[in-house]
Amino acid sequence: MNLFDVYPVNPINIVRATGSKLWDAAGNEYLDLYGGHAVISIGHTHPHYVKSITDQLNNIGFYSNSIEIPIQKRLATQLGVISGKEDYSLFLCNSGAEANENALKLASFHTGRKKVIAFSKAFHGRTSLAVAATDNPAIVAPVNQTDNVTFLPFNDEQALSEAFTSYGSEVAAVIIEGIQGVGGIREASIPFIQLIRNLCDQYGAAFVADSVQCGYGRTGLFYAHDYAGVQADIYTMAKGMGNGFPIGAISIAPQFKASFGLLGTTFGGNHLACAAAVAVLDVMESEKLIENAKSIGDYLISELKGFDRVQEVRGRGLMIGIDLPEELAHVKKDLLVKNRIFTGEAKPNVIRILPALNIDKGIADRFLTALDERLKA
């Protein structure tokens, strides 16, 4: 049997990793400035993380949600404190797409409505409703197509206000990334986030803050939406939550009431996933990684803005987009092949930087030096 080949794959076999460094089968060292799609939040193979998962596995790795799993409550309490949402409730699942799927379903159950407002260049996942709210026709299968999702221009306050004036009483939810990742590291403006909050309050819709990529401390606050100074009704998360172990969740405001059968999952919140997530929060707190993300991110952004051939630098903290001229679309590949540095892209000439939150200035400088070499080559 062959693999179902749906991913473009670099011909590199990574066999070992620690912190922000990777090694291939031939012993070559690489720098990881991408974290496997913003997943590696506390660095590869962090000792506390490895020990926590190992200890949990030596006791029990899995049982279903038909029994008490105390580590789920520990995770919920710890997450509430560090995120500043102690009065919210937690529902655990397995991925970002599942988180967004459940968030939109919960909003629909709560409001009794079915219309969703999403935005241009949004990416919310590949499951049924999440992909319907994703602005990429190439990945929306015919079975996922629906008239219930309306796409509006990103950061267009007038278009959003007019949409609510026209059909606000039909809207179950507005879903928005605090910073669009796949969409090119485009930040939702503070006034736009505040307007979403005000309109959702006025019309009784739910505000869903997609924090799958831009959350979990990556931007220097726990959720990127926090910069607007308002509370969403539901926050979705995954990626950095488990540092590589599959886990996702939604954080739910108090006005949403639970009932038997409302949401469900087989693997969500299993013992190993929760052990991984608790370990991540332990390290984030003890090593002050949210503060580090802001500090190193500010440094990188400031330095990158001084590069002559960089057209624009976007983002916050350690979620950074570097916009290059189209003729420099090869730079991302060159960084990997010639400098052995993993980065990401939103389109060929936009490099995405999404490293572990514990990178230091030395690693940041190694990247800046390599990028300078590539831009001058």
Side-chain angles (χ1 to χ4, degrees), residues 28-346:
N28 297 307
E29 182 185 291
Y30 295 77
L31 278 188
D32 187 5
L33 271 292
Y34 191 51
H37 304 305
V39 166
I40 301 301
S41 51
I42 61 170
H44 294 277
T45 61
H46 190 288
H48 178 66
Y49 176 83
V50 172
K51 184 178 186 301
S52 296
I53 295 176
T54 302
D55 288 348
Q56 182 63 61
L57 185 57
N58 283 329
N59 291 319
I60 180 173
F62 173 82
Y63 205 79
S64 76
N65 286 293
S66 62
I67 63 166
E68 291 185 357
I69 304 177
I71 196 171
Q72 292 181 346
K73 294 182 179 179
R74 178 181 170 186
L75 172 58
T77 299
Q78 198 169 358
L79 179 58
V81 171
I82 194 170
S83 68
K85 308 290 188 289
E86 294 178 75
D87 59 340
Y88 280 50
S89 299
L90 190 68
F91 176 78
L92 293 161
C93 54
N94 305 285
S95 70
E98 281 188 47
N100 285 327
E101 191 86 13
N102 280 290
L104 293 172
K105 285 174 62 179
L106 183 60
S108 183
F109 278 128
H110 180 73
T111 62
R113 304 170 185 173
K114 59 184 180 180
K115 187 173 286 293
V116 172
I117 290 177
F119 298 96
S120 59
K121 299 187 184 300
F123 187 93
H124 300 297
R126 294 176 183 268
T127 55
S128 182
L129 186 52
V131 80
T134 291
D135 186 25
N136 183 354
I139 65 172
V140 181
V143 72
N144 301 130
Q145 293 172 358
T146 175
D147 294 330
N148 293 328
V149 178
T150 298
F151 290 99
L152 300 178
F154 191 66
N155 278 334
D156 189 328
E157 296 179 36
Q158 182 177 345
L160 180 62
S161 297
E162 290 174 353
F164 267 95
T165 299
S166 297
Y167 51 81
S169 62
E170 303 171 45
V171 176
V174 178
I175 184 169
I176 188 168
E177 300 153 273
I179 300 177
Q180 291 186 335
V182 175
I185 312 297
R186 298 195 306 157
E187 186 175 359
S189 73
I190 288 175
F192 195 62
I193 292 291
Q194 292 171 339
L195 179 61
I196 291 172
R197 177 69 278 169
N198 290 337
L199 289 170
C200 284
D201 287 342
Q202 182 179 344
Y203 288 89
F207 175 9
V208 178
D210 181 342
S211 300
V212 170
Q213 186 172 138
C214 63
Y216 245 76
R218 178 155 294 281
T219 64
L221 291 177
F222 196 83
Y223 300 115
H225 306 74
D226 289 344
Y227 282 98
V230 298
Q231 305 262 34
D233 297 307
I234 305 174
Y235 296 86
T236 66
M237 64 203 85
K239 292 193 183 294
M241 185 178 187
N243 200 56
F245 201 103
I247 186 171
I250 56 177
S251 181
I252 307 161
Q255 68 266 26
F256 293 79
K257 303 305 178 185
S259 63
F260 179 75
L262 185 70
L263 303 174
T265 175
T266 297
F267 296 105
N270 68 75
H271 295 78
L272 283 177
C274 287
V278 165
V280 166
L281 292 177
D282 287 343
V283 174
M284 287 178 66
E285 289 184 284
S286 66
E287 298 184 7
K288 302 185 184 305
L289 296 192
I290 296 178
E291 295 89 337
N292 189 68
K294 184 180 188 308
S295 174
I296 300 298
D298 286 350
Y299 171 69
L300 278 167
I301 290 170
S302 175
E303 292 295 309
L304 287 165
K305 286 182 176 178
F307 282 42
D308 290 338
R309 304 192 74 186
V310 169
Q311 292 184 324
E312 185 180 12
V313 182
R314 297 187 293 273
R316 289 180 184 266
L318 292 175
M319 186 171 186
I320 301 171
I322 306 167
D323 205 332
L324 301 176
E326 290 187 6
E327 64 268 20
L328 295 180
H330 57 85
V331 167
K332 174 188 174 292
K333 182 178 179 181
D334 288 349
L335 282 167
L336 180 58
V337 173
K338 298 178 181 179
N339 297 91
R340 294 184 180 143
I341 297 178
F342 281 93
T343 60
E345 68 179 30

